[in-house]
Amino acid sequence: GNLHYYRIHSCKRAGPLANEGEPREDRVIVTDTLEANGKGHFCRLTIDVFGKVDSITYLGGEELQVESLWSLVGLSETFLNHLFVRWEGGDIPDIVEFLTDEWATALFHDRFMDFCLQIQLEMRSQDEVKAIIDRALETVNLKEGLSRKLLASIQLQLPKSSIKAMQEHLLEYLRENTNHLKTYFLPDN
């Protein structure tokens, strides 16, 4: 038939390192609205132990932009509007429809990855932030991976000035790209 199939996955290391034990299995998200006539979508995402999108498999009658799918691999699942928790709760019957909704527009913008890298570099340049993250990562158990509880704990420890700086960078990014990202509400300066 006229179905399109895409499979994109990240590179994985060969296996667990010494003394790591067996890491937690990837979390798998599957939605299937594909009908016999080719309408709808089958989509499968895996989220790795660190909470990042590890792979995407798609089968459906609709041709998708491969670059957009590719840009999702490696992103934190929290960037995807807490996809796993919302899917697990039954809020997301179709991953493709969910990711093509207006809230996700910024994820596929050509400057989004540059924005993420800028935030990452700025946070790494702050000794206090780097120390908080390093201490937290020392406690990560590979069998359990990064938990939402650990991420929330890190966020609570971050200096208010760092959080404010990240928020300001986000608003600046949205303002600079408002011609493509029209659906986001931006507070006045």
Side-chain angles (χ1 to χ4, degrees):
N2 292 327
L3 295 178
H4 300 273
Y5 174 78
Y6 306 103
R7 170 122 171 91
I8 302 167
H9 60 88
S10 67
C11 299
K12 287 189 173 191
R13 64 172 193 250
L17 299 173
N19 301 325
E20 282 185 347
E22 281 297 313
R24 179 185 79 192
E25 294 209 10
D26 290 344
R27 292 178 290 171
V28 178
I29 302 170
V30 176
T31 62
D32 186 358
T33 60
L34 189 59
E35 299 172 7
N37 63 7
K39 290 186 178 179
H41 317 103
F42 169 86
C43 195
R44 180 182 189 272
L45 270 81
T46 57
I47 310 293
D48 71 13
V49 69
F50 295 108
K52 295 187 177 224
V53 175
D54 187 60
S55 70
I56 300 172
T57 304
Y58 169 83
L59 179 67
E62 187 178 339
E63 186 173 0
L64 303 180
Q65 292 183 346
V66 177
E67 297 83 7
S68 295
L69 292 175
W70 190 26
S71 71
L72 295 175
V73 174
L75 270 185
S76 171
E77 174 262 343
T78 56
F79 277 108
L80 305 180
N81 213 349
H82 301 284
L83 177 65
F84 185 78
V85 172
R86 295 187 64 199
W87 168 79
E88 199 173 40
D91 294 338
I92 301 172
D94 188 326
I95 295 171
V96 175
E97 294 297 324
F98 178 71
L99 293 174
T100 55
D101 204 3
E102 289 182 351
W103 71 267
T105 308
L107 297 174
F108 304 109
H109 191 276
D110 63 343
R111 294 186 199 116
F112 182 71
M113 292 313 291
D114 292 336
F115 163 72
C116 292
L117 183 59
Q118 178 188 7
I119 294 289
Q120 207 173 45
L121 291 173
E122 184 169 322
M123 293 298 110
R124 285 183 184 168
S125 72
Q126 297 178 24
D127 292 336
E128 185 178 1
V129 171
K130 191 172 180 210
I132 291 167
I133 293 171
D134 288 345
R135 277 193 310 272
L137 290 178
E138 287 172 3
T139 67
V140 172
N141 177 339
L142 281 182
K143 288 182 181 180
E144 298 170 15
L146 288 177
S147 66
R148 292 188 188 282
K149 185 178 176 183
L150 177 62
L151 292 173
S153 168
I154 292 170
Q155 185 178 3
L156 287 173
Q157 296 175 55
L158 290 175
K160 300 285 186 225
S161 61
S162 296
I163 293 172
K164 181 78 173 157
M166 280 190 272
Q167 292 169 340
E168 290 299 323
H169 281 304
L170 175 58
L171 290 173
E172 179 183 338
Y173 166 75
L174 292 172
R175 283 186 181 108
E176 286 176 357
N177 298 289
T178 192
N179 57 331
H180 299 289
L181 306 173
K182 297 174 180 164
T183 61
Y184 294 89
F185 172 76
L186 296 173
D188 292 332
N189 285 337

